[in-house]
Amino acid sequence: MKILLISDTVFDQNGVSRFIQDMATEAQETAHEFYVLTSSPLTSKTHLDNIINLTPYYSRKMPFYQELFLSFASIKSFMAKIQELKPDILHISTPGPIGLLGLYASRKLKIPFASTYHTDFPSYIEKNMNSKFLGKIATHYMRFFYQKAVFVVTRSSASQKVLEQNIKIDKEKIYALRAGTDTQKFHPSYKQEAIWDTFGVDKNSIKMLYVGRLSVEKNFHWLLDFFKKHQEYFREKNVVLVVVGYGKILNKMSEAEKSNIHLLGIQHVPKLSAIYASSDFFITPSVTETLGQVVLEAMASGLPCIVTNEGGPAKFVNSVSENGFVLEALQDALWLDAIHKLVESKELRKTLGNNSFEYMQNFSISHTFKSFWNIHKEF
């Protein structure tokens, strides 16, 4: 069997891109015929023979999603590459311009296609644009796109509910993909205190880590306000907020808000691996995660995590596994209490962090790739 995954995002700095690259790496190491086709102005430091990047004839950043590109490839070269590869099935990972080309190729070449619901775009658009109307338009587009797939893969129970209730996908067409991340790339062994000298962060401080887009739909603005509001407490306890990522919301930050907040920008492996492993705990107030790849990376790195009770991360961070806190979003008192417990007890951080690491040993990218391959093989 030969699978060709088509995606608009492969080299961007986000969880979906890292996931696709990890899958491509796993395919090469296990000698599976799995290829990735994209068209992007970006490139990767790591070259993989099974990732094909066609030069786009036009590309620009998304108006409402500045961290992603809208890229357009030549239909002729796109179709020629698919005909050359002769896949048994297409897997269209994203519903952007490249995904639409994949949809066209599926119909034109009579190759069945499956898809993954990585991102809840209607929620993102509604939050970023503050418009329920645009959110409804996005929902109708998602229905147009995903309802044509022979089956849709979901990476968490949270996105399965969205697919059934909002996108109107038949339950029989939804397959759960086993979650996972590269547990070799993200591991406690990458801990190195010297990494903080690179960024001017006090080694003796307690480091609260956030990784992801610095945007409204991630509730990052709330995290900034929360940190500012309780600045006196954080200074007293020598707690700093370490932020990895980029987003236009930074333009609105005053110098006062940046106090004790270290903005590291976009970081790549192996520095990213060291930042995870050398932090004390991970925090994300997002309620729109279909899975939360960064949470899996943090757990694999041995960090306790604080997440909301909405979205995919709540499936992995729970009281049963005792690896962190699952809290109602935007509730200051609850979040401050959880942070206080972690700040006051190094032993608690160590225990929850060890539990996170042990839990993630069952969620390697190898497990995920096998699950992905078997789902397509059964079809």
Side-chain angles (χ1 to χ4, degrees):
M1 181 175 65
K2 184 184 290 185
I3 301 173
L4 176 60
L5 184 145
I6 295 169
S7 179
D8 293 82
T9 177
V10 174
F11 305 117
D12 305 271
Q13 291 305 304
N14 57 50
V16 175
S17 292
R18 287 200 293 276
F19 171 75
I20 292 173
Q21 290 185 50
D22 288 344
M23 291 281 280
T25 301
E26 181 67 20
Q28 278 201 341
E29 292 177 352
T30 55
H32 284 81
E33 289 195 286
F34 172 87
Y35 297 86
V36 177
L37 180 60
T38 189
S39 181
S40 171
L42 304 174
T43 56
S44 174
K45 293 181 179 180
T46 305
H47 174 76
L48 293 171
D49 292 333
N50 55 350
I51 296 183
I52 301 124
N53 186 16
L54 302 176
T55 303
Y57 67 81
Y58 176 77
S59 185
R60 59 159 295 177
K61 290 185 176 181
M62 280 192 187
F64 57 86
Y65 204 150
Q66 291 287 303
E67 294 74 37
L68 290 182
F69 282 90
L70 283 172
S71 296
F72 298 84
S74 160
I75 296 178
K76 184 178 179 180
S77 59
F78 191 86
M79 296 292 283
K81 182 56 67 174
I82 294 176
Q83 289 174 305
E84 176 190 328
L85 290 171
K86 295 183 174 62
D88 297 299
I89 186 169
L90 302 177
H91 188 99
I92 306 176
S93 184
T94 51
I98 303 305
L100 282 174
L101 276 182
L103 183 60
Y104 171 77
S106 172
R107 288 183 172 182
K108 190 76 173 176
L109 302 176
K110 295 180 171 55
I111 304 172
F113 90 90
S115 193
T116 302
Y117 197 75
H118 278 295
T119 306
D120 188 7
F121 272 113
S123 294
Y124 278 22
I125 291 171
E126 185 174 324
K127 283 181 175 290
N128 272 300
M129 304 297 286
N130 194 26
S131 170
K132 289 186 177 181
F133 174 71
L134 291 177
K136 286 181 180 179
I137 291 177
T139 297
H140 285 295
Y141 174 70
M142 294 292 106
R143 290 173 183 171
F144 158 79
F145 188 89
Y146 283 98
Q147 287 178 4
K148 292 175 173 55
V150 291
F151 63 85
V152 180
V153 171
T154 174
R155 299 191 67 199
S156 74
S157 56
S159 55
Q160 181 165 340
K161 288 181 181 178
V162 172
L163 283 170
E164 288 184 41
Q165 297 173 8
N166 297 354
I167 313 303
K168 307 299 182 185
I169 304 295
D170 292 337
K171 190 174 183 178
E172 296 73 25
K173 292 175 62 177
I174 302 173
Y175 289 78
L177 179 65
R178 185 167 181 171
T181 191
D182 190 331
T183 52
Q184 301 301 312
K185 191 184 296 179
F186 299 102
H187 192 278
S189 62
Y190 288 101
K191 182 174 182 176
Q192 49 175 296
E193 293 300 323
I195 191 71
W196 300 122
D197 292 333
T198 308
F199 301 107
V201 178
D202 179 7
K203 290 180 183 179
N204 298 315
S205 64
I206 296 174
K207 299 153 196 78
M208 179 166 64
L209 177 66
Y210 172 91
V211 179
R213 287 188 301 281
L214 316 186
S215 52
V216 173
E217 86 279 354
K218 298 286 189 181
N219 277 335
F220 183 70
H221 61 298
W222 175 85
L223 183 59
L224 289 178
D225 290 341
F226 171 81
F227 197 85
K228 180 182 177 182
K229 189 185 300 183
H230 302 287
Q231 187 70 246
E232 187 175 333
Y233 168 79
F234 291 126
R235 279 182 178 151
E236 179 188 339
K237 299 297 182 180
N238 197 19
V239 178
V240 299
L241 176 60
V242 177
V243 177
V244 175
Y246 180 77
K248 61 181 180 180
I249 201 169
L250 283 181
N251 299 331
K252 301 176 182 179
M253 289 180 65
S254 67
E255 289 303 314
E257 288 174 314
K258 292 181 183 179
S259 178
N260 280 352
I261 299 174
H262 296 270
L263 308 172
L264 309 192
I266 293 173
Q267 296 296 324
H268 306 270
V269 172
K271 273 188 179 180
L272 180 60
S273 304
I275 290 168
Y276 270 120
S278 306
S279 295
D280 292 288
F281 61 94
F282 185 85
I283 187 168
T284 176
S286 175
V287 295
T288 59
E289 301 301 311
T290 52
L291 175 69
Q293 192 72 28
V294 292
V295 177
L296 300 186
E297 292 169 357
M299 292 176 68
S301 303
L303 296 187
C305 296
I306 305 177
V307 303
T308 70
N309 58 359
E310 299 179 51
K315 178 183 176 182
F316 303 97
V317 181
N318 54 69
S319 58
V320 176
S321 302
E322 296 184 331
N323 48 33
F325 298 89
V326 180
L327 308 173
E328 188 176 347
L330 314 183
Q331 298 297 311
D332 280 33
L334 293 176
W335 288 70
L336 188 61
D337 181 62
I339 290 170
H340 178 72
K341 288 175 181 175
L342 291 172
V343 168
E344 290 298 316
S345 176
K346 186 176 182 179
E347 190 60 34
L348 179 62
R349 296 198 300 270
K350 183 179 179 181
T351 298
L352 298 185
N354 287 340
N355 290 344
S356 285
F357 172 74
E358 292 297 333
Y359 183 79
M360 281 305 297
Q361 298 319 294
N362 294 315
F363 296 96
S364 70
I365 199 66
S366 298
H367 290 119
T368 304
F369 185 80
K370 286 177 184 176
S371 173
F372 181 90
W373 192 264
N374 289 334
I375 288 170
H376 289 73
K377 193 174 181 179
E378 287 176 11
F379 171 81

